[in-house]
Structure formats: C-alpha cells, structure tokens
Amino acid sequence: MPIDQFNNSSDTLMSYELQFEEMKRIMAGAGLGMWSVENIEGQPHRMHLNAKMAELLGVSDVSAMSPEEMYDFWFNRVKPEGRESLFASVERMMSGNVEETTYLWEHPVLGDRYLRCTGSGRVEGKGQVLSGYCSDITHFVLKEKEQQGAMARMGAELQRAYEVVKFVS
C-alpha cells in the first residue's frame, strides 16, 4: 500500500514500524549512520545519533554523553579545513535542500577520516532541526588521491619521454 493511502489500522501501523526498522537495519549494513542536530534559540546545539553513527564517530556508549556533549564532541573534531564547506552545506540544508558534503574529521582512535554526510533541515518552533545520514569514505578518498598521484607521475614520465624523443629527432 502506498504511504499516501495509510490508514490507522493497527496491522498497517505495525507493518510500517517493521518496514522502518528494516530500513534502519539496511542503512546500518550499508555503513550509513543516522543523525539529527537541533539548534534551538538560546540553547546549546544538541546531536542525536543511532548506533551506526556512534560507531562511525568512535563513541562506544551514546548514553555516556548528553546530546549537547555529543554535538560538541562531533563539532570540535571537524578539521578546520572542512568547516567552511560544512557550514555552506548546512546553510543550503536550512533552505530546504537535500545537501551532501564531505569533510575531514578527527576520529578518536583512527585519526583523520573523511565523512560524507547528506541531510536536510527545517524550521521548528524557535529553532532549526537538521537530519540525515553519514558514512566514512576515507578508503575511497585515499584511493582517489593515490590514482591522481599515479596519473600525475605518468604525465611527468610522458613529458620526459616526449622531450627525449624531440631531442633525439
């Protein structure tokens, strides 16, 4: 049944609850952590996350930190070179757009990691709520940088070969 035809029967409600739980399990299996950030006027930012997002951030016990402490933990580890891009994405999210951004983040055990987050925002009461999902793409970024380095070296070798052939001719 399409979601727009939802009725309030308990069978349908259970079905949607099970589907939602299954979607969360699939997303976690794909390495996607879910998060939300509340920015309410006059209050500190608050961050909520699921178990997979906690794992990505190196947090073993989410209940050991308040949502305010969780936000500070995450935000204070965003590397300075990633903040401008992150802030620009948040601004676009708050305009109602679904935005994706990749930034460098300092994991407490693994060191620098590249996180790719996608989300959207909305105004709610006297504040804003951002929510989305995130994954660690460090492996892909490092592989791409390695390939770019190999291409640059190959280009330099081809240039040297061309100059040798040109000199000999």
Side-chain angles (χ1 to χ4, degrees), residues 4 19 29 33 37 53 61 64 85 103 107 111 116 121 124 148 166:
D4 61 347
Q19 288 176 19
V37 172
M53 188 67 198
D61 183 8
S85 168
Y103 59 92
H107 189 281
R116 176 172 289 156
E124 197 169 285
Q148 289 172 347
K166 184 178 165 185

Side-chain angles (χ1 to χ4, degrees), residues 31-100:
L32 299 173
M34 299 170 68
W35 55 268
S36 68
V37 172
E38 301 170 0
N39 179 13
I40 299 170
E41 189 178 309
Q43 297 181 21
H45 288 75
R46 299 167 50 92
M47 183 175 213
H48 305 275
L49 34 103
N50 70 352
K52 184 60 181 185
M53 188 67 198
E55 180 186 321
L56 291 172
L57 298 182
V59 175
S60 58
D61 183 8
V62 176
S63 65
M65 282 189 244
S66 70
E68 295 85 359
E69 291 169 326
M70 185 62 68
Y71 177 85
D72 290 341
F73 173 82
W74 165 77
F75 183 78
N76 291 330
R77 291 173 175 276
V78 175
K79 301 296 266 191
E81 57 269 28
R83 288 188 179 187
E84 186 175 327
S85 168
L86 181 62
F87 292 153
S89 289
V90 166
E91 287 297 318
R92 290 188 297 272
M93 284 179 198
M94 289 314 306
S95 297
N97 297 319
V98 175
E99 253 327 288
E100 179 179 275

Side-chain angles (χ1 to χ4, degrees), residues 11 96 98 133:
D11 290 342
V98 175
Y133 61 89

